[in-house]
Amino acid sequence: MITCFPIAFLNVAPNLSNIIAIEEDNYKLAHYNIFYTEFEEESISSLIHEWIDNYDDKKRDFIVEGRIHLSSKTKSLGNGEINQNEWMEIELISIKESLPEINQVVLTYGKFPTTSDEITLLESFALADGINLNDKISLYTETGKQDFTVVGFAKSIEYASYKLSQVAVGYLNMDAINSITIENIDNKITSTLVYFNEEMDLQELRNIAEYIKENIDNLESASLALFWFSRDTSYRKNLLDALKLTSKYMTAASLFVFLTAGVIIFVITNRYVGEQKKNIGALYSFGVNKQKIIFSFFIRMFVLGTLGIILGIIIAKLLTLYIINNLADDWGLFSSSSELTPFSILFTLTSAAIVSFSSTFFAIRSLIKLTPYEAMRGKTTELKSTGIIMVLSTYLPVRNIRAAFRNLTRNRTRSFLTILAFALAFTLSSSLMYTQDSLDNTIYEFYDENIAFDLEIELGFSNMQNRSIIEQIIADDRVVTYEFFINNLIQFKDRPENLAYLLGFQYNSTLYRKNNANLVDGTWYRPNSSDIVVSKYVATSLNISKGDKLSFYYFDSLINGTVSGIATELLNNLAIMMDIEFISTELKNVFNLPTYNVLPVANKLLVAYHENANINDIQDDLNQNNPYVVLAVSKEHLLRKQVGLVRNQSSIVILMVSLGLIVGFVSFFSTLLISIVEREREFAIMKVYGYKNQEIILEILIEGMILGFFSIIPALFIGRFTAVNLWIKIVSDSFFNITPFYLYPTQVFLLLFGFISILISVIPSYILAISKPIYEVIREES
Amino acid sequence: MNEIYPPFIQAYDLSKHYTLGQINVKALDNVNLQINEGEMVIILGPSGSGKSTLINMIGGIDSPDHGKIIINGNELQTLTSKELTIFRRKYVGFVFQFYSLIPTLTALENVVLAAELVELKGKELRKRGMDVLNAVGLRGRENSYPSQLSGGERQRVALARALAKHPQIILVDEPTGQLDEETGIQMIELIKETAKLFNSTVLMVTHDKSLIKYADQVIEMKSGRILVKNFE
């Protein structure tokens, strides 16, 4: 245990990191993903190829590929973890006769679409929605509703997994794409991918990107929507963030394992030393050197340790493979591995050796002080004169409880260490469970307190400029209020490889409340100012602080701002927030638009409806029947997405919670087993004197309950402390502030588990202890 | 034999064998005996004669293959395991050959372990424990652990533990085996005295013939059989 878990844990992150790096090249993750505002001629990709070729004298090995990449909307089937009939965006990628060379897609089941009514889905999305082969899904596009048969599932290097990205993806052939677009798509594309088959440093990529952008600007026919450095800001980056978090979790868990295992080793070795005392006394009296005897214990530990290490490394390899297989599946990786790094093995073996030999030393320390005569007589130095607990226990009204307290205070060291090991293991589990509860609750609370809209309706920029379209939506008498809203990807000026979402709200928005409690640093933006509030995640990822200048492109114009604050943002983690009025003012001249009360820069409407309004019906109507609505999603959908994103570590957390519970159980079981089996003779004597089996087992059960009580109750409280100061801090430092929250069912579960552990530890141990007939046991020399 | 009151302990045709590997050992072979209440009975015999097996059966911690044992009207063979436990609780105190004290309990605590069975608690429990320890001459040693006591003192604690319930039967297995001659005599006199005090019937197993003078009845055994019974 002391070997296999730490080695496995310390190797998860390096293996995953390795897999991610290898796959990015094996499956050719694009360096650039160049999006155009409209369909462009396919020939633009050849132009881009030419530009890169002629950029400088350096001959580069690269590929350029065009594709059609559209957005549509669909309703979930709801057969998996996604709620039924939930509207969501689905990204649609074209698949031609030959599969793409860049951003490769690998079929995992079924086939790629060959007809216009077939679709292949991202495997992890299908799993999340419980979609099976031959199921039908409906896509709502500019040509109306169309049904497609699911013919296959695939993994994509571009999208990682649905769990990490919360993005639904479907692959259609060109006939299908043609059927869902009004425009004739022959020889047309919406984006160009570029892949460099060599090491590229960031500055070189930036320079080439600038060069391509300039050339596209010079073309009258093409218009750039977004130039995405898809290796730097990508769903795969989510993977790396998840990996960093995983790594921290696992390192901390390894420490718990070392501590708990150390306690168990001490208890078992202590017991063994006790058993050997008379033999040791005899050896002393024959003239064997005390140091030699003590050294023999270390040799014993060395031999047992060596055997344990060999077994531990074998199990570690299997455990690493198991963990990585599960994570690889969860995170949409293509392959798996279970290499054990020399560092992890060396670190674990060194730590295990220190813990094991220290525990052995403390266990045999008492031997050093005994004379041979004392050893042979079985003197135990840990026995003290009757303590206060022992004296007080004689006054307890119930005999079994009296006896239990008396028995526990006999070997105080062992009782204390049993409590310590059980408490440590339970602290690990309880703290992780509290953290998960707190994570979920933070998100739910955020949405309860700050998000007051019912629907986020995306109309797109051109539709937002059409007053009649907006009036059609807000004329619904179920509408209470509405606000214009920007929620769009932007690119930073000084670091084009980084993307973020610009969230533009009205300063006095009632539908997104700017709560000071959500501020981590600084203040919210002032009205009509260039103040920017960045999300904690953006601030941490891009190393942005309060007071920093930030410039970004929006509608090809440069917007300059200053960071006034950093906040927890759970509508969109990767966000910067500004006053929509300010952005509108900055861009009014660009558009030269009429000055009626429509802000030209928004792409979405936030709408709140009456309490009695059926939001699902409204949503269905907008998405199905209003051709101007790109997508209307509910607050619940956004909440579920956020919870899904946050739960990408759930398989790791479950593993570590289970580890804590298993280690806790093992520590309790092993120490109770020793404590019970060594009292075999005592139980026989008690039975001779007339104690019934039930009375003896009740006594031991009460002993177990007392130990359990003193372990579990403190662990529940220390678990809270650990949750706040360790796990929550790890997440809060990177992503968003978490408010500690403790659910009673979690505590009840832990108490129940503890109780069952005690039962399972006591009963078999006692059965083992009474398995011999009484007369045989008492016949043995004491 | 007393004709008016039936014998307190009766055993008829007791037989018991053990299998040790390939060898079948007859531990008891058609043993019959009768013991009156309050008697001190010494069971003599060499090692392996069946003495310990006999008292284990009378104490209800082993059962014969054939025969029956009746103690104060209770036929032990008809009792279930649970009923045998209750029987031992009510009637029997054991003094083992190797004391069998619990090493992690003090002298008083070892004695109290037995006394608790008669539903004593608190001050009463402690008083009972101290009383029997005083009766066996261990006043002032109640807080000592077995490892801190001499052989004789340990044997006294074992006797005190047996007496703590004021049992009607005290079964004693080789009480002087680990003691020197003088201490051994002191122990036997103590057993006789305290048994009289509590009106207990004593069955004592020994191979030491010098102790027979203390007995009301002597039973000699060899190879699982009774050779001689000395009835008064």
Side-chain angles (χ1 to χ4, degrees):
Chain A
M1 186 172 76
I2 201 175
T3 316
C4 77
F5 286 116
I7 289 179
F9 289 166
L10 292 172
N11 279 289
V12 168
N15 271 287
L16 286 170
S17 184
N18 213 33
I19 293 170
I20 291 167
I22 290 171
E23 285 183 356
E24 281 184 352
D25 286 328
N26 285 353
Y27 297 95
K28 296 189 170 55
L29 179 66
H31 288 83
Y32 301 140
N33 196 343
I34 305 166
F35 287 91
Y36 310 109
T37 52
E38 313 172 318
F39 280 97
E40 292 294 338
E41 294 296 326
E42 213 168 352
S43 54
I44 196 170
S45 300
S46 308
L47 280 175
I48 291 173
H49 193 287
E50 209 180 292
W51 293 333
I52 297 173
D53 239 350
N54 297 332
Y55 173 70
D56 57 18
D57 295 331
K58 191 174 168 190
K59 274 289 159 214
R60 290 182 180 83
D61 182 5
F62 65 98
I63 313 166
V64 177
E65 200 170 53
R67 67 179 185 182
I68 294 177
H69 182 160
L70 302 172
S71 283
S72 180
K73 54 190 171 186
T74 186
K75 242 175 145 179
S76 63
L77 297 185
N79 296 329
E81 60 197 43
I82 303 175
N83 297 332
Q84 197 176 30
N85 295 330
E86 198 174 287
W87 284 95
M88 60 180 73
E89 187 178 0
I90 179 166
E91 298 197 13
L92 301 169
I93 312 276
S94 59
I95 292 274
K96 295 182 178 172
E97 291 81 25
S98 58
L99 292 177
E101 242 190 298
I102 306 177
N103 284 356
Q104 290 179 12
V105 188
V106 172
L107 199 63
T108 56
Y109 206 67
K111 62 174 185 138
F112 283 111
T114 51
T115 63
S116 61
D117 62 349
E118 292 179 343
I119 188 168
T120 297
L121 296 176
L122 189 69
E123 186 186 42
S124 51
F125 161 61
L127 200 67
D129 197 24
I131 302 172
N132 298 312
L133 271 187
N134 302 317
D135 279 350
K136 294 226 182 296
I137 69 164
S138 301
L139 298 183
Y140 296 81
T141 65
E142 48 187 30
T143 57
K145 177 186 170 191
Q146 285 202 51
D147 290 338
F148 292 86
T149 306
V150 178
V151 296
F153 303 126
K155 279 187 176 178
S156 159
I157 190 70
E158 188 179 358
Y159 286 100
S161 85
Y162 182 79
K163 237 185 190 167
L164 277 184
S165 62
Q166 294 291 308
V167 172
V169 184
Y171 297 92
L172 298 172
N173 76 351
M174 293 306 288
D175 290 336
I177 298 271
N178 220 0
S179 70
I180 61 171
T181 50
I182 298 169
E183 196 160 331
N184 180 355
I185 60 155
D186 288 340
N187 301 316
K188 294 274 178 71
I189 57 173
T190 60
S191 68
T192 301
L193 303 172
V194 181
Y195 170 77
F196 292 94
N197 197 14
E198 55 190 71
E199 275 299 313
M200 298 287 291
D201 72 60
L202 184 59
Q203 195 52 51
E204 193 179 0
L205 282 171
R206 285 178 183 175
N207 294 342
I208 294 174
E210 274 310 305
Y211 180 66
I212 296 171
K213 278 192 224 173
E214 272 169 30
N215 281 306
I216 291 176
D217 281 345
N218 292 336
L219 287 175
E220 283 181 11
S221 53
S223 178
L224 196 63
L226 181 69
F227 200 111
W228 186 354
F229 285 60
S230 35
R231 284 192 174 209
D232 290 277
T233 306
S234 64
Y235 303 111
R236 286 257 151 177
K237 180 147 186 316
N238 283 1
L239 264 180
L240 290 172
D241 291 335
L243 197 55
K244 276 186 219 162
L245 198 56
T246 304
S247 191
K248 287 180 187 176
Y249 273 135
M250 298 216 144
T251 306
S254 303
L255 292 173
F256 273 102
V257 170
F258 281 132
L259 286 171
T260 312
V263 167
I264 298 173
I265 291 171
F266 172 83
V267 168
I268 294 172
T269 309
N270 197 38
R271 160 73 187 149
Y272 177 72
V273 165
E275 278 177 3
Q276 298 301 314
K277 265 190 187 144
K278 287 211 169 146
N279 297 333
I280 290 164
L283 288 173
Y284 282 165
S285 63
F286 294 153
V288 177
N289 189 299
K290 197 180 274 191
Q291 279 72 28
K292 275 200 178 121
I293 293 171
I294 289 170
F295 183 68
S296 71
F297 279 95
F298 284 109
I299 295 290
R300 175 183 177 270
M301 176 48 66
F302 178 76
V303 170
L304 288 176
T306 305
L307 292 171
I309 283 164
I310 294 168
L311 188 63
I313 291 176
I314 294 168
I315 297 174
K317 182 100 176 156
L318 295 170
L319 186 62
T320 307
L321 187 62
Y322 174 78
I323 295 172
I324 289 176
N325 274 344
N326 276 290
L327 285 176
D329 261 344
D330 262 0
W331 293 359
L333 302 179
F334 292 88
S335 54
S336 184
S337 86
S338 59
E339 298 300 317
L340 303 182
T341 64
F343 167 75
S344 68
I345 296 176
L346 193 62
F347 173 78
T348 303
L349 294 187
T350 309
S351 307
I354 292 170
V355 166
S356 307
F357 284 104
S358 309
S359 307
T360 305
F361 173 76
F362 283 117
I364 64 174
R365 203 171 44 145
S366 58
L367 277 184
I368 298 167
K369 298 174 190 168
L370 292 179
T371 66
Y373 178 65
E374 285 169 338
M376 284 178 74
R377 284 190 59 142
K379 180 176 175 179
T380 46
T381 56
E382 70 270 21
L383 293 174
K384 306 207 186 316
S385 54
T386 313
I388 184 131
I389 298 173
M390 185 81 88
V391 170
L392 288 175
S393 71
T394 58
Y395 291 92
L396 289 167
V398 179
R399 183 174 58 74
N400 299 104
I401 300 177
R402 233 178 9 244
F405 269 101
R406 180 189 64 213
N407 293 336
L408 287 174
T409 55
R410 281 192 228 177
N411 193 330
R412 290 174 179 85
T413 309
R414 183 193 294 157
S415 297
F416 170 72
L417 291 175
T418 305
I419 290 170
L420 182 65
F422 206 34
L424 273 174
F426 256 61
T427 298
L428 174 65
S429 298
S430 64
S431 60
L432 285 165
M433 291 172 83
Y434 289 144
T435 304
Q436 278 300 118
D437 293 341
S438 301
L439 265 171
D440 285 351
N441 188 63
T442 298
I443 298 171
Y444 284 109
E445 253 186 20
F446 181 92
Y447 274 72
D448 266 342
E449 288 169 13
N450 303 304
I451 310 297
F453 61 84
D454 293 305
L455 289 180
E456 180 197 80
I457 304 171
E458 184 178 356
L459 294 173
F461 293 104
S462 49
N463 288 335
M464 286 295 283
Q465 289 160 37
N466 188 329
R467 183 76 195 180
S468 61
I469 294 172
I470 295 169
E471 280 179 356
Q472 200 180 68
I473 293 170
I474 62 177
D476 188 332
D477 55 15
R478 293 170 290 187
V479 171
V480 170
T481 186
Y482 69 95
E483 289 174 12
F484 294 103
F485 174 50
I486 301 173
N487 184 349
N488 205 55
L489 268 174
I490 50 103
Q491 207 148 17
F492 293 103
K493 176 182 172 238
D494 298 324
R495 26 187 158 191
E497 68 279 5
N498 296 126
L499 300 176
Y501 281 87
L502 171 66
L503 302 184
F505 300 98
Q506 283 170 207
Y507 173 73
N508 55 355
S509 170
T510 56
L511 299 180
Y512 182 97
R513 297 175 195 137
K514 294 187 294 300
N515 202 326
N516 285 334
N518 295 334
L519 281 170
V520 173
D521 191 14
T523 57
W524 284 101
Y525 49 79
R526 293 163 296 166
N528 210 355
S529 74
S530 62
D531 292 346
I532 300 175
V533 173
V534 304
S535 70
K536 180 84 188 279
Y537 180 52
V538 167
T540 311
S541 310
L542 305 186
N543 202 20
I544 293 171
S545 311
K546 191 184 84 170
D548 285 356
K549 301 278 181 221
L550 268 187
S551 300
F552 60 91
Y553 292 101
Y554 195 56
F555 281 101
D556 280 338
S557 297
L558 191 63
I559 310 281
N560 298 305
T562 309
V563 177
S564 66
I566 298 169
T568 290
E569 202 331 276
L570 292 172
L571 196 58
N572 192 325
N573 281 339
L574 188 66
I576 65 171
M577 291 164 275
M578 280 189 99
D579 184 352
I580 196 172
E581 279 277 358
F582 171 77
I583 298 168
S584 174
T585 309
E586 293 284 291
L587 294 178
K588 256 201 170 72
N589 295 334
V590 174
F591 286 101
N592 193 28
L593 287 169
T595 54
Y596 58 90
N597 202 19
V598 173
L599 298 173
V601 299
N603 61 335
K604 296 186 180 182
L605 273 180
L606 299 177
V607 186
Y609 294 87
H610 283 296
E611 251 180 53
N612 314 335
N614 188 321
I615 304 300
N616 289 336
D617 285 348
I618 298 170
Q619 206 182 355
D620 281 349
D621 184 43
L622 286 169
N623 282 314
Q624 288 171 184
N625 302 324
N626 191 323
Y628 305 109
V629 170
V630 174
L631 178 65
V633 291
S634 63
K635 174 179 163 181
E636 279 63 43
H637 167 76
L638 296 169
L639 169 62
R640 188 198 54 73
K641 262 182 80 165
Q642 193 60 239
V643 170
L645 278 169
V646 153
R647 283 196 181 161
N648 65 49
Q649 293 290 311
S650 59
S651 50
I652 298 283
V653 171
I654 290 168
L655 173 70
M656 297 209 301
V657 167
S658 307
L659 169 70
L661 296 176
I662 290 167
V663 168
F665 171 73
V666 165
S667 69
F668 203 77
F669 183 86
S670 55
T671 50
L672 264 189
L673 178 68
I674 290 170
S675 158
I676 291 169
V677 168
E678 75 178 3
R679 289 154 67 184
E680 176 188 54
R681 196 170 163 74
E682 178 186 329
F683 297 143
I685 293 166
M686 287 169 74
K687 285 181 70 168
V688 165
Y689 273 89
Y691 279 85
K692 297 182 220 174
N693 274 340
Q694 300 97 293
E695 286 171 323
I696 300 173
I697 205 167
L698 181 63
E699 204 171 286
I700 304 165
L701 259 176
I702 293 173
E703 282 175 41
M705 293 299 170
I706 294 170
L707 285 175
F709 176 83
F710 283 108
S711 311
I712 298 171
I713 304 299
L716 292 179
F717 289 99
I718 300 169
R720 292 187 183 193
F721 177 82
T722 309
V724 169
N725 293 288
L726 179 61
W727 312 118
I728 288 178
K729 193 168 180 328
I730 288 173
V731 178
S732 294
D733 281 351
S734 305
F735 296 98
F736 51 87
N737 276 7
I738 298 169
T739 313
F741 180 74
Y742 311 109
L743 266 179
Y744 283 116
T746 300
Q747 291 166 100
V748 168
F749 166 77
L750 288 167
L751 284 168
L752 255 171
F753 183 88
F755 174 71
I756 293 168
S757 299
I758 293 164
L759 272 180
I760 296 173
S761 300
V762 163
I763 295 171
S765 306
Y766 179 66
I767 292 170
L768 189 66
I770 61 163
S771 54
K772 281 190 200 166
I774 300 175
Y775 61 84
E776 262 191 49
V777 178
I778 62 171
R779 192 166 53 206
E780 292 161 8
E781 188 174 327
S782 64
Chain B
M1 200 187 327
N2 193 325
E3 295 290 344
I4 300 171
Y5 297 104
F8 188 64
I9 299 172
Q10 302 166 77
Y12 299 103
D13 300 326
L14 288 183
S15 292
K16 177 79 180 179
H17 78 276
Y18 297 105
T19 309
L20 299 170
Q22 303 277 353
I23 302 165
N24 205 11
V25 175
K26 209 152 198 166
L28 288 181
D29 189 4
N30 281 315
V31 167
N32 293 275
L33 58 78
Q34 288 158 9
I35 297 164
N36 294 319
E37 193 174 3
E39 277 189 334
M40 179 147 169
V41 177
I42 284 180
I43 304 172
L44 264 182
S47 191
S49 57
K51 316 185 292 296
S52 298
T53 306
L54 178 60
I55 64 163
N56 285 346
M57 286 191 187
I58 291 171
I61 62 172
D62 195 0
S63 55
D65 296 332
H66 302 290
K68 60 182 174 183
I69 300 169
I70 302 169
I71 297 177
N72 198 21
N74 298 298
E75 188 177 332
L76 296 193
Q77 279 62 55
T78 62
L79 300 180
T80 61
S81 172
K82 215 173 180 174
E83 286 165 342
L84 274 174
T85 304
I86 305 293
F87 162 77
R88 286 197 299 275
R89 181 186 288 211
K90 278 166 81 170
Y91 291 107
V92 183
F94 256 98
V95 181
F96 299 100
Q97 182 177 3
F98 297 104
Y99 326 132
S100 292
L101 298 178
I102 295 166
T104 50
L105 296 183
T106 62
L108 179 62
E109 288 156 0
N110 267 285
V111 171
V112 153
L113 186 72
E116 279 181 330
L117 286 166
V118 293
E119 302 302 323
L120 296 173
K121 51 181 184 271
K123 279 183 185 164
E124 280 182 353
L125 186 64
R126 191 177 164 81
K127 185 176 181 304
R128 173 70 68 92
M130 290 303 298
D131 284 347
V132 288
L133 280 174
N134 291 340
V136 300
L138 283 179
R139 182 193 290 274
R141 301 289 282 165
E142 59 271 11
N143 291 325
S144 302
Y145 288 94
S147 58
Q148 295 166 324
L149 300 171
S150 66
E153 286 170 333
R154 292 187 203 182
Q155 192 62 293
R156 286 168 193 254
V157 174
L159 176 61
R161 184 176 62 185
L163 295 171
K165 292 187 292 179
H166 293 178
Q168 289 185 271
I169 304 170
I170 301 174
L171 302 174
V172 189
D173 194 348
E174 299 281 6
T176 61
Q178 309 298 316
L179 307 175
D180 59 80
E181 192 181 335
E182 191 183 329
T183 314
I185 292 168
Q186 285 174 0
M187 181 55 55
I188 299 304
E189 286 173 354
L190 186 58
I191 290 171
K192 194 166 169 86
E193 210 177 287
T194 46
K196 212 170 182 177
L197 192 65
F198 298 115
N199 196 31
S200 305
T201 304
V202 176
L203 270 79
M204 185 185 306
V205 159
T206 183
H207 59 270
D208 185 354
K209 285 189 177 164
S210 68
L211 300 180
I212 60 176
K213 62 184 182 234
Y214 297 100
D216 299 314
Q217 189 185 158
V218 176
I219 297 170
E220 194 170 345
M221 290 185 71
K222 187 177 178 182
S223 301
R225 285 167 180 253
I226 291 180
L227 297 181
V228 175
K229 278 184 223 173
N230 182 8
F231 296 94
E232 279 205 341

